[in-house]
Amino acid sequence: MTSEIDPLYSEAYVWVWLPDATEPVVAGLLSKQGQQLVFNYGRSYLARADAIALYAPELPLGLGVIPLISGLNMPSCIRDASPDAWGRRVLINHKLGVKGGDAAEFDLDELTCLLESGSDRIGALDFQRSPTHYEPRHTQHPSLDDLLAAAEKVERGVPLSPELGQALLHGTSLGGARPKVLLDDGERKLIAKFSASNDLYSVVKTEFIAMRLARKVGLDVATVQLRSSMGKDLLLIERFDRVAHEGQWRRRAMVSALTLFELDEMMAAYASYETFAEIIRHRFVDAKATLRELFSRIVFNILCGNTDDHARNHAAFWDGHQLTLTPAYDICPQSRSGQQASPAMLIHGAKRSSQVTTCIAAASSFLLGREDAIAIVNHQVHVIEREWQATCDEANLSEVDRALLWRRQFLNPFAFLDAPS
């Protein structure tokens, strides 16, 4: 049973980086209303000529408290900026010390997560207690060794020193469940993912290989690199929501597919790629090319064994008027003992089997003909087979792990049952 730590806050001011801006402005107030969090824009923000909706279908510009979408307890486009499992675990460690090691027993309310996590969060939002003074939280840039040591302590439930605690808090605004931190080398903003203590194989290298192969088959994916620290592997992912400009950083607003679907986490199992395709046809720039890209990502997830393709692992840039698909991220093959597997989102009707036949059956939803869909599958299979060894060499992957992944996660025979040639 999960115990919620007593809430500390009743409201938070939402600050936003407008398109092409390098400094944020206050957009409005997120406040408690019973068991819900509701948002209203500030008058000064609405008076700006360059004001944009944080996400127009959910929070259109206008005076007064904006009603929540049915089934949600806070605006989903704001929830996108809140930390998920790893960030919450770090915050609980910070607040409770050794008790935070058993993080599953505790939970933090959303306002605490928003106001105490790091300010360099994904997207273009941040949260402050003041409507007039913006002060970023946890901005220091410690060494990788220090960050890795801090992450390992959190995993073991060991309380952090004030210095290490502040270092790790910088990355608490990130989503996902695996240990990760934010880095800045002066020219790039990066996310570093670490190995976890319970990894049974090289998960970090496996994700690197999947991301590199995804690019080789022609997908638009985040740039990744492998590094090591204290004898452990780590994956560096270049952030695509930050743009360097004259020595400063612009932030690109993003919304998750879960927000596009108007669903919360409890309803995420009903998320569908066909629904995603319909939203793309109506709201996205260059819908035809975007649909082909999304279909190709579904195929690749099946071919590489990634079943963690849930609706928060897809996202779109939002510029106040239109949506564009972000580069792919978090493509990480999942361990499985048998043949059968299912992705996190429905593919065709009520079917979610990780098989290329399921994808081909859904092709028309992506404005693709059957032959086009088969060609995409065959192209990806050919590239994966051709580039497998070279990509594993690039990762310095052991022969044991290669044998564990090949034809199990990558190109598992289950993916090709009843598939056309």
Side-chain angles (χ1 to χ4, degrees):
M1 187 172 185
T2 302
S3 300
E4 184 168 289
I5 300 168
D6 290 340
L8 299 176
Y9 309 101
S10 60
E11 62 183 25
Y13 289 94
V14 181
W15 290 66
V16 62
W17 278 255
L18 293 168
D20 299 328
T22 55
E23 298 292 336
V25 296
V26 65
L29 181 67
L30 183 70
S31 57
K32 292 190 70 172
Q33 190 176 85
Q35 298 300 309
Q36 299 177 327
L37 295 177
V38 295
F39 178 78
N40 64 280
Y41 289 103
R43 290 181 180 272
S44 62
Y45 183 75
L46 292 172
R48 297 180 63 97
D50 58 351
I52 65 169
L54 300 187
Y55 178 53
E58 183 176 34
L59 296 178
L61 293 174
L63 289 170
V65 171
I66 301 171
L68 291 171
I69 291 172
S70 178
L72 301 183
N73 57 16
M74 71 178 292
S76 187
C77 64
I78 292 178
R79 172 62 181 83
D80 283 339
S82 188
D84 284 332
W86 172 251
R88 290 169 191 251
R89 186 169 179 180
V90 176
L91 288 171
I92 290 170
N93 182 288
H94 177 67
K95 297 183 73 65
L96 298 182
V98 69
K99 292 182 180 179
D102 197 2
E105 293 186 6
F106 298 91
D107 197 11
L108 294 171
D109 67 286
E110 290 298 335
L111 285 174
T112 298
C113 289
L114 294 173
L115 285 168
E116 297 203 8
S117 54
S119 288
D120 197 10
R121 63 189 70 246
I122 299 300
L125 300 181
D126 194 25
F127 307 89
Q128 300 280 310
R129 298 176 69 180
S130 169
T132 57
H133 177 64
Y134 179 79
E135 185 175 352
R137 295 179 297 280
H138 319 306
T139 57
Q140 62 270 60
H141 303 294
S143 71
L144 267 178
D145 287 355
D146 285 344
L147 290 168
L148 179 57
E152 288 180 337
K153 286 190 174 184
V154 169
E155 282 201 286
R156 299 198 309 268
V158 177
L160 301 177
S161 68
E163 294 77 18
L164 280 182
Q166 289 299 311
L168 206 56
L169 282 168
H170 178 54
T172 48
S173 54
L174 299 172
R178 293 188 62 80
K180 61 180 70 66
V181 296
L182 291 173
L183 300 175
D184 184 343
D185 68 2
E187 297 181 355
R188 299 174 302 165
K189 293 273 191 177
L190 303 162
I191 297 170
K193 286 188 176 181
F194 299 141
S195 303
S197 59
N198 59 349
D199 287 345
L200 299 179
Y201 61 98
S202 183
V203 175
V204 167
K205 286 184 176 181
T206 301
E207 183 170 352
F208 170 81
I209 290 167
M211 293 287 284
R212 292 287 290 127
L213 286 172
R215 174 159 290 183
K216 289 178 179 182
V217 304
L219 300 184
D220 178 21
V221 299
T223 300
V224 294
Q225 293 177 288
L226 269 180
R227 290 287 186 271
S228 63
S229 176
M230 299 172 64
K232 292 199 171 183
D233 299 318
L234 58 94
L235 180 69
L236 296 183
I237 306 157
E238 190 166 346
R239 294 180 64 174
F240 46 71
D241 63 332
R242 295 292 184 267
V243 179
H245 178 73
E246 297 180 352
Q248 294 181 291
W249 293 98
R250 292 173 173 173
R251 302 192 181 193
R252 299 191 69 181
M254 290 168 50
V255 291
S256 70
L258 199 64
T259 292
L260 301 179
F261 294 147
E262 300 183 356
L263 298 173
D264 68 2
E265 278 79 5
M266 299 299 293
M267 300 296 288
Y270 296 96
S272 161
Y273 280 114
E274 288 182 317
T275 301
F276 199 175
E278 182 178 358
I279 293 169
I280 288 171
R281 291 197 297 271
H282 288 92
R283 300 186 200 167
F284 275 62
V285 176
D286 198 0
K288 187 173 183 179
T290 303
L291 288 168
R292 186 182 184 89
E293 171 73 17
L294 179 60
F295 180 86
S296 299
R297 293 183 188 186
I298 301 168
V299 170
F300 186 79
N301 280 332
I302 286 172
L303 296 181
C304 79
N306 176 31
T307 56
D308 193 35
D309 57 331
H310 57 78
R312 285 206 185 278
N313 277 345
H314 298 278
F317 293 122
W318 165 252
D319 67 1
H321 306 285
Q322 52 194 8
L323 294 160
T324 53
L325 200 63
T326 70
Y329 56 96
D330 277 358
I331 303 176
C332 188
Q334 307 296 303
S335 179
R336 71 201 209 196
S337 55
Q339 293 285 309
Q340 295 188 12
S342 298
M345 287 172 49
L346 298 167
I347 297 175
H348 179 53
K351 297 179 180 179
R352 64 168 82 241
S353 182
S354 291
Q355 295 177 291
V356 297
T357 54
T358 312
C359 289
I360 293 168
S364 61
S365 295
F366 300 85
L367 304 184
L368 293 169
R370 176 180 171 83
E371 295 306 314
D372 287 333
I374 293 172
I376 288 171
V377 173
N378 288 338
H379 165 72
Q380 291 194 14
V381 171
H382 173 71
V383 173
I384 292 170
E385 289 178 334
R386 185 189 70 208
E387 299 293 334
W388 170 253
Q389 291 295 351
T391 309
C392 289
D393 290 345
E394 189 180 353
N396 196 25
L397 189 70
S398 71
E399 291 299 329
V400 172
D401 278 349
R402 294 187 200 207
L404 179 68
L405 297 173
W406 188 243
R407 305 296 183 186
R408 289 180 172 85
Q409 276 72 26
F410 290 86
L411 303 188
N412 189 299
F414 177 73
F416 303 102
L417 288 179
D418 302 319
S421 58

